[in-house]
Amino acid sequence: MNIDAEQERNRLDSIASVSLYGHGANRATISYSYRIFKRFIQEGPILELGPAEGFMTDELVKLGLPMTAVEGAVDFCSSLRQRYPQIEVVHALFEDYVPDRKYDSIILGHVLEHVDDPIDILSRAREWLSERGRILIAVPNARSLHRQAAVIMGMLEFEEQLNQSDIHHGHRRVYNPETLRRDFLKAGLRIEVFGGYWMKPLSNPQIEKDWSPQLLDAFMELGERYPDIAGELYVVAGL
């Protein structure tokens, strides 16, 4: 592991103490990504990496499948254990996790932008997959319309530059379609589906001020038609 484990745990606990993933449009993106993942989840054990507050977990547990959640922030782990005693919650960095089984579905919802070495994490997850297993991930897209507009307006120097929201959430990178495909291929994974969702023309505060839930949901779906410029990217991959 290339990172200092204690420093990384402290970093995750600090981010968790002021997490905003459950607010407004961020919450809607998690809900919509689950709707996409549900199309591809296999019947069998599920591993969720980085559940954070557990908004994706809330949906996954309804499937009634054996489930493990691995989370690096201690407060998030405590909350998940209280809410869902039926699942295994492991407090660990992904780099330290050693499973005792193979998984048919491995979920990484908004994880790869956070970790120190995403190719290493994907390579580890590949070893944890069953023969028919799938890895399902979602990440923000640097080529999103709102980020392109920010560059034109001079608010960002280039699309992949971290903005204030990225910094608050503890992001280490912002993927574009090419760099995301690259990391999956370098990890030795076979991409089955590459897509996007959430056609996002404005910032979250601007959207949350005026948009109805129905309008927000429509633009989530609209992003599936134009994945390269959608606000979020997703990948379904296997061995």
Side-chain angles (χ1 to χ4, degrees), residues 15-27:
I15 293 169
S17 69
V18 288
S19 178
L20 296 177
Y21 274 121
H23 295 263
N26 284 330
R27 180 71 174 270

Side-chain angles (χ1 to χ4, degrees), residues 18-198:
V18 288
S19 178
L20 296 177
Y21 274 121
H23 295 263
N26 284 330
R27 180 71 174 270
T29 63
I30 297 171
S31 296
Y32 198 86
S33 64
Y34 172 73
R35 285 166 58 179
I36 292 173
F37 289 169
K38 190 178 179 182
R39 304 169 193 169
F40 305 102
I41 290 174
Q42 307 273 20
E43 285 287 333
I46 294 174
L47 172 63
E48 184 182 13
L49 297 176
E53 293 98 330
F55 300 122
M56 177 72 71
T57 317
D58 293 341
E59 303 299 331
L60 292 171
V61 295
K62 296 174 185 177
L63 298 174
L65 298 171
M67 182 172 168
T68 301
V70 178
E71 170 58 50
V74 65
D75 287 346
F76 286 157
C77 287
S78 298
S79 175
L80 288 169
R81 289 188 182 110
Q82 291 175 6
R83 286 153 51 200
Y84 299 116
Q86 72 271 37
I87 72 172
E88 180 186 17
V89 178
V90 179
H91 178 221
L93 301 179
F94 308 142
E95 295 87 348
D96 293 333
Y97 178 57
V98 180
D100 58 3
R101 66 167 78 179
K102 299 284 188 177
Y103 294 94
D104 292 318
S105 302
I106 299 180
I107 313 292
L108 296 92
H110 295 90
V111 166
L112 292 183
E113 65 269 29
H114 289 266
V115 299
D116 180 64
D117 187 342
I119 297 172
D120 175 64
I121 299 303
L122 288 172
S123 298
R124 291 172 187 270
R126 182 182 184 277
E127 297 302 314
W128 305 336
L129 275 182
S130 68
E131 289 186 4
R132 69 186 186 96
R134 286 170 167 164
I135 293 176
L136 312 171
I137 73 97
V139 296
N141 182 12
R143 211 160 286 156
S144 173
L145 288 179
H146 81 290
R147 296 185 74 98
Q148 293 193 53
V151 172
I152 293 171
M153 295 169 66
M155 299 172 67
L156 292 175
E157 294 181 9
F158 54 96
E159 284 84 0
E160 288 79 12
Q161 183 182 4
L162 299 180
N163 61 29
Q164 288 303 309
S165 177
D166 293 316
I167 294 169
H168 175 87
H169 290 307
H171 296 173
R172 286 181 159 121
R173 67 192 57 80
V174 186
Y175 278 104
N176 62 45
E178 291 76 29
T179 56
L180 186 58
R181 288 187 180 95
R182 175 203 64 197
D183 282 4
F184 270 82
L185 295 176
K186 284 189 173 182
L189 288 159
R190 178 176 55 86
I191 296 175
E192 297 180 12
V193 183
F194 190 101
Y197 62 98
W198 188 196

